[in-house]
Every structure is written in C-alpha cells, then in structure tokens.
C-alpha cells in the first residue's frame, strides 16, 4: 500500500514493489522484477526480467537495465573478528545512484556505498557481467565492456573507455577520457586522456616498447649459443 506506481507505468507478472518504492511515468518492469523498500525507478526506464533494485537505490530517467542485474546490494566489506577466529561483516548504509540514460548489462552488479552513494553518471553504458564495488563514482558517458571489475572507492572520470576483462584496483583515479585496454590490470592512477595497457597496466607506448624489447630478447640466448658452437 505504501508504494507509488504511476498509472502509465507497466508492472509485469511476478514483480514485487515494496513499501515506499516509487515507479515513475511510463516505466516498464518486465517479469519477476523486484523493487525494494524506498527504491525509485525514473520516468521511461525499462527493467528486464529478474532485475533487483535494493533499498533506497535510485534509477534515473530512460535507463535500460538488462536481465538479472542487481543494483544496490551490500558491498564486499569485512574485518577480522576480535577473537581472531574469522571475519565480521561491515554494514553498508549507502545506496546505488544510477543517473539518466544509463544502460547496464545482464548479470552486472552495482554495490551500495558504505555511507554515501555508489554513482553511475548520466549516459554511461555498462556491458554484461561487470562488477562495480561500493563507493565507486563513474562519470558521464563512459563505456565499460564485459567482465570488468572495479574496486571500491575508485573514481572514473567522464568519457572513460574500459576494455573487456579489465581489473581496476580500489581507491585509484582514472582521469577523464582515459582509455584502458582489454584485460588490463590497473593498479595506479591513470592521467586524463592517456591510454594504458598490460598486466600491470602502463602507458601504451611504454607497454609497446617493453613488448618489442622482450620479443627481440627471446632470440638472444639461441644466437649466443650458436656462436659458441661454431667457434668450438
């Protein structure tokens, strides 16, 4: 009874809209979508089957969230227990905040913040199977390809492009318009407009120089061995 569903919204079969949730005009909830307590879905947004929006999280206008994506689940936070016999879960009281015109792929996860929000900026597009950890802030118009993992409290500027299978460490900054190659492991800050590749990631030209040098060095032992043999 405490939910607010606009008359022009579509709520499909087996959906759950909990108390205090708000579904905006012309929003579409396909089958088996769950909108938890106090969550908001903006005007014209579409949630495909199996999507879960957790407590108080917000979805902006004209967003598209694909099947089985989870927005606003607890972040991965633990500390050693006082008795030294295990770990203790750290509560997360924040939310996930998805701005207008965002697309999030199937089976991707955006965790809630520990205190404040985890933020996905307007117009950003996220592929399938992407993990966005707690307190991450992603800017406007970013493109993030499949199987990327973004560690907690990382800041990603506007217009960043991240290739598939990349791993972004926690508590770093990626500047606006930077490019991260597929499969890269980013372990330090990336300046604006730079392209980084590799494992661990480094500036593109440095990566190419190192790969080229390594390729030349591969043949050196064989050449030296051949010379010793011919001189014997």
């Amino acid at each position: 009874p405490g939910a607010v569903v606009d008359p022009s919204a579509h709520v499909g079969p087996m959906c759950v809209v909990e108390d205090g949730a708000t579904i905006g005009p012309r929003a579409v909830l396909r089958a088996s979508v769950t909108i938890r307590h106090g969550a908001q879905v903006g005007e014209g947004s579409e949630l495909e089957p199996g999507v879960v929006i957790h407590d108080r999280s917000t979805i902006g206008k004209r967003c598209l969230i694909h099947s089985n994506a989870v927005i606003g689940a607890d972040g991965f936070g633990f500390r050693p227990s006082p008795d030294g016999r295990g770990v203790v879960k750290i509560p997360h009281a924040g939310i996930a905040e998805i701005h207008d015109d965002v697309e999030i792929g199937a089976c991707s996860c955006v965790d809630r913040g520990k205190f404040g929000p985890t933020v996905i900026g307007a117009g950003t597009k996220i592929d399938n199977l992407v993990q966005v950890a707690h307190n991450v802030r992603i800017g406007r118009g970013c493109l993030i390809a499949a199987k990327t993992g973004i560690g907690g409290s990382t800041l990603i500027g506007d217009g960043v492009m991240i290739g598939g299978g990349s791993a972004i460490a926690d508590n770093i900054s990626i500047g606006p318009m930077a490019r991260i190659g597929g499969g890269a492991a980013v372990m330090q800050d990336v300046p604006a407009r730079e392209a980084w590749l590799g494992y661990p990631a480094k500036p593109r030209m440095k990566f190419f120089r190192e790969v080229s040098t390594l390729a030349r060095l591969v043949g050196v032992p064989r050449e030296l061995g051949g010379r010793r043999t011919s001189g014997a």
Side-chain angles (χ1 to χ4, degrees), residues 131-151:
Q131 161 65 13
V132 180
H134 57 227
N135 302 326
V136 168
R137 289 179 174 264
I138 298 175
R140 300 170 60 92
C142 296
L143 295 174
I144 301 173
K147 297 184 180 179
T148 292
I150 303 173

Side-chain angles (χ1 to χ4, degrees), residues 45-48 59 62-66 101-105:
S45 287
E46 182 173 342
L47 279 57
E48 295 294 329
I59 309 298
R62 301 175 300 278
C63 293
L64 174 57
I65 302 181
H66 291 276
D101 302 301
V102 168
E103 182 168 344
I104 297 176

Side-chain angles (χ1 to χ4, degrees), residues 30-212:
R30 302 295 181 187
S32 301
V33 171
T34 299
I35 310 298
R36 300 291 304 275
H37 174 78
Q40 300 177 33
V41 177
E43 179 180 352
S45 287
E46 182 173 342
L47 279 57
E48 295 294 329
V51 168
V52 178
I53 310 299
H54 280 272
D55 297 17
R56 299 178 291 109
S57 293
T58 62
I59 309 298
K61 298 177 181 178
R62 301 175 300 278
C63 293
L64 174 57
I65 302 181
H66 291 276
S67 295
N68 298 317
V70 178
I71 310 299
D74 273 357
F76 189 73
F78 298 90
R79 60 177 176 81
S81 61
D83 61 8
R85 297 173 61 86
V87 294
V88 177
K89 184 175 179 65
I90 299 173
H92 284 67
I95 64 170
E97 184 179 296
I98 313 300
H99 291 186
D100 297 344
D101 302 301
V102 168
E103 182 168 344
I104 297 176
C107 298
S108 291
C109 298
V110 180
D111 292 343
R112 67 172 60 245
K114 186 180 293 185
F115 300 111
T118 300
V119 178
I120 310 296
T124 285
K125 312 300 182 184
I126 296 175
D127 200 358
N128 303 329
L129 297 168
V130 170
Q131 161 65 13
V132 180
H134 57 227
N135 302 326
V136 168
R137 289 179 174 264
I138 298 175
R140 300 170 60 92
C142 296
L143 295 174
I144 301 173
K147 297 184 180 179
T148 292
I150 303 173
S153 300
T154 287
L155 304 178
I156 297 177
D158 295 345
V160 170
M161 296 177 67
I162 301 176
S166 297
I168 315 296
D170 57 314
N171 291 288
I172 65 171
S173 176
I174 298 177
M177 305 303 293
R179 303 289 185 265
I180 307 299
V186 181
M187 301 180 183
Q188 57 184 302
D189 292 351
V190 176
R193 298 184 178 277
E194 289 195 5
W196 283 41
L197 305 170
Y199 190 101
K202 59 199 69 176
R204 178 178 58 184
M205 294 312 299
K206 182 178 180 182
F207 171 81
F208 287 146
R209 284 195 299 270
E210 291 182 0
V211 169
S212 177

